[in-house]
Amino acid sequence: MRKSKKLLSMTGRFVFIVGILLSAYGFAMFQGGKVSWTIFYILFPFILYSIALFVYPMNTITAERKILTKNIENGGKLTVTVMLKRRFSFPLLYTIVTEKWGSHQIELRAKNKSSYLFVFGMRKQVEWTYEIDRLPRGQHITEGIHIELSDFFGWIRKTAFIPLRESIIVFPKTVPMNYMSLDAQYDRGAIASPFTLIKDTTMATGVREYQAGDRVTWIHWKSFARTQNLMTKEFEDRQSEDLLVVLDERASEQFEEQIELAASLVKEAIQQQANVSFISVGEHKVEYPFIHSAEQLHDLLVHLAKIEPVESPPHSMDWTPSMRIGGSIVFITGSPDWEILQSLGGATRANSSIICFVVVGEGKRVPKSLSERISYARMKGVKIITLRKTQFANAFREEAM
């Protein structure tokens, strides 16, 4: 239907131009005189160009896009370069190129930045760069490039859409954290340790042959340079921590801050060589049992970028992992209800080391109902810490409030 209207409109414009040409020629023939022929000769080049533009093939124009900004975080800036090419030269005048986004929110943020008006002229290649500020977290789709051509007076307007679909991931913003081990696991039993994990693994007492599964950071490169055999460092007390991070996906006023805290915590724990697992609970329960490599961390950050808040989950909030994962648990939420607090209390009685981070608004008081639930959970032995965004860096050192 839309193509039919477009074809009808173009046909009508062409008939209008031909009508002007015949009218001017007829006026000059029957009226005669210098003035009437002058009018005809003035209009003739413009009409001839409009007819040439009418038959100009739009499919000869191709487009390329380059994303100049890599790893964009929430609130960051996106820089894009769009390049138009064509196979042969033709004098194109007013050209409007617009980047079409699938998200109305991005369209509003881009405003007029994603549109470009220029005179193509005889050039075979044109490019322009635009920026979009304060991108929100999420997956944003750019559908393609819309091109509109016009003659001198707007008699002929031709449009074309070049599909150029591309997905842009805006990751959650992360902040550096002063990470501390919650429950360091030794080879025999579990004891509380005030040291961070990275300190414990720097106390090498010897080397041994490399075995499958050894961390790359434990390889003794000096021995490898001398013998060409991979050797692994041995530690007097080789220490590691199993850490499970659970994110509550239910809607809250501080949902974006919850995502930011979860991403920052996981990233910092992995840098400190912890054995990290992750669970997000919302519409569905999504599990990342073991996160060791940079690729696995990237997959998790993509998941966190795409998460949308859930108003009311269709099932009970079962956050327990499907496979046995020992060690410490960090639960991140914005508004813990009685069901969540009771489940945390049960996990605490099972000798698990648990911290529940409740993210609250900056400069806002904790609601009375939430304070009552927090007091109840603390009576059950659950360690709950209320955090504001400015406290994320020292989350593990904050006093319970």
Side-chain angles (χ1 to χ4, degrees):
M1 186 66 180
R2 184 176 298 179
K3 289 184 178 181
S4 300
K5 289 184 177 180
K6 182 179 178 181
L7 180 60
L8 185 62
S9 175
M10 286 296 296
T11 304
R13 289 175 178 272
F14 181 73
V15 171
F16 172 74
I17 292 172
V18 174
I20 293 178
L21 177 63
L22 295 177
S23 299
Y25 180 74
F27 177 75
M29 286 292 293
F30 291 103
Q31 181 69 23
K34 185 177 181 180
V35 175
S36 57
W37 282 106
T38 300
I39 294 174
F40 172 76
Y41 287 127
I42 290 175
L43 288 176
F44 184 74
F46 296 101
I47 295 174
L48 185 64
Y49 177 80
S50 298
I51 295 174
L53 182 62
F54 176 79
V55 298
Y56 177 78
M58 294 284 287
N59 57 6
T60 61
I61 302 177
T62 60
E64 295 181 9
R65 181 194 301 109
K66 294 181 181 178
I67 306 297
L68 303 181
T69 309
K70 304 298 181 182
N71 297 325
I72 310 170
E73 290 189 345
N74 186 15
K77 179 188 296 184
L78 172 68
T79 304
V80 180
T81 295
V82 177
M83 182 182 301
L84 298 182
K85 297 181 181 179
R86 53 181 179 158
R87 291 195 294 269
F88 59 88
S89 297
F90 178 82
L92 295 177
L93 296 177
Y94 309 117
T95 307
I96 302 176
V97 183
T98 305
E99 181 89 82
K100 290 297 182 181
W101 289 85
S103 170
H104 181 65
Q105 186 180 16
I106 300 298
E107 293 278 6
L108 292 177
R109 291 181 184 272
K111 295 182 180 179
N112 296 325
K113 296 179 181 178
S114 59
S115 294
Y116 183 43
L117 170 63
F118 63 98
V119 176
F120 215 129
M122 299 295 291
R123 291 174 293 179
K124 289 186 177 181
Q125 179 175 313
V126 174
E127 68 176 41
W128 102 95
T129 300
Y130 69 93
E131 296 179 342
I132 302 179
D133 299 323
R134 298 179 292 107
L135 279 178
R137 177 190 60 83
Q139 182 181 26
H140 308 293
I141 306 295
T142 172
E143 301 290 350
I145 310 297
H146 182 269
I147 303 174
E148 181 177 350
L149 303 177
S150 176
D151 60 7
F152 289 94
F153 303 113
W155 291 339
I156 293 293
R157 291 180 179 270
K158 299 190 70 174
T159 60
F161 180 75
I162 303 176
L164 203 60
R165 187 180 177 87
E166 190 169 356
S167 175
I168 297 173
I169 301 294
V170 179
F171 295 98
K173 189 175 182 180
T174 58
V175 296
M177 298 186 68
N178 297 318
Y179 179 78
M180 296 183 66
S181 172
L182 300 180
D183 187 21
Q185 302 293 328
Y186 279 79
D187 289 339
R188 295 183 180 178
I191 64 173
S193 171
F195 302 103
T196 59
L197 297 171
I198 195 169
K199 282 186 178 181
D200 299 324
T201 55
T202 56
M203 300 174 60
T205 58
V207 294
R208 58 171 174 80
E209 291 186 2
Y210 176 84
Q211 298 176 358
D214 287 344
R215 295 180 183 273
V216 177
T217 55
W218 292 349
I219 295 177
H220 195 266
W221 295 108
K222 292 183 179 179
S223 298
F224 175 73
R226 291 196 306 266
T227 64
Q228 298 301 308
N229 293 323
L230 285 176
M231 305 294 289
T232 301
K233 300 174 186 177
E234 281 192 320
F235 304 99
E236 180 178 359
D237 292 308
R238 196 168 70 192
Q239 183 178 349
S240 65
E241 180 185 20
D242 293 331
L243 179 66
L244 171 62
V245 180
V246 183
L247 175 65
D248 182 2
E249 292 185 24
R250 291 175 302 174
S252 69
E253 294 182 2
Q254 287 73 44
F255 186 76
E256 290 300 324
E257 285 79 3
Q258 292 173 226
I259 299 288
E260 181 177 322
L261 176 59
S264 302
L265 174 56
V266 171
K267 186 175 180 180
E268 188 67 26
I270 291 176
Q271 290 178 353
Q272 299 295 334
Q273 301 180 6
N275 299 318
V276 182
S277 303
F278 181 87
I279 296 177
S280 61
V281 188
E283 189 75 22
H284 305 284
K285 182 169 68 173
V286 180
E287 300 185 56
Y288 290 82
F290 303 104
I291 307 171
H292 299 297
S293 64
E295 182 179 356
Q296 291 171 328
L297 175 60
H298 179 268
D299 292 341
L300 173 61
L301 292 177
V302 170
H303 170 70
L304 291 176
K306 297 179 180 180
I307 286 179
E308 295 293 337
V310 179
E311 293 296 335
S312 56
H315 52 77
S316 59
M317 293 288 290
D318 178 18
W319 56 268
T320 55
S322 59
M323 61 183 301
R324 182 174 178 81
I325 298 176
S328 306
I329 299 174
V330 173
F331 194 95
I332 300 174
T333 182
S335 180
D337 57 16
W338 294 111
E339 180 185 356
I340 289 295
L341 294 178
Q342 288 174 356
S343 64
L344 291 176
T348 301
R349 289 191 295 272
N351 297 323
S352 295
S353 177
I354 295 181
I355 290 183
C356 178
F357 288 132
V358 179
V359 182
V360 296
E362 197 70 38
K364 295 183 179 179
R365 290 186 177 182
V366 179
K368 183 178 180 181
S369 59
L370 179 57
S371 297
E372 292 176 352
R373 293 197 295 269
I374 290 176
S375 299
Y376 167 81
R378 287 172 179 166
M379 291 174 56
K380 297 296 182 179
V382 181
K383 185 176 182 181
I384 295 186
I385 298 178
T386 55
L387 285 178
R388 292 174 173 83
K389 187 174 181 179
T390 55
Q391 300 171 310
F392 285 178
N394 297 312
F396 290 93
R397 299 180 180 179
E398 292 293 333
E399 295 290 338
M401 295 183 293

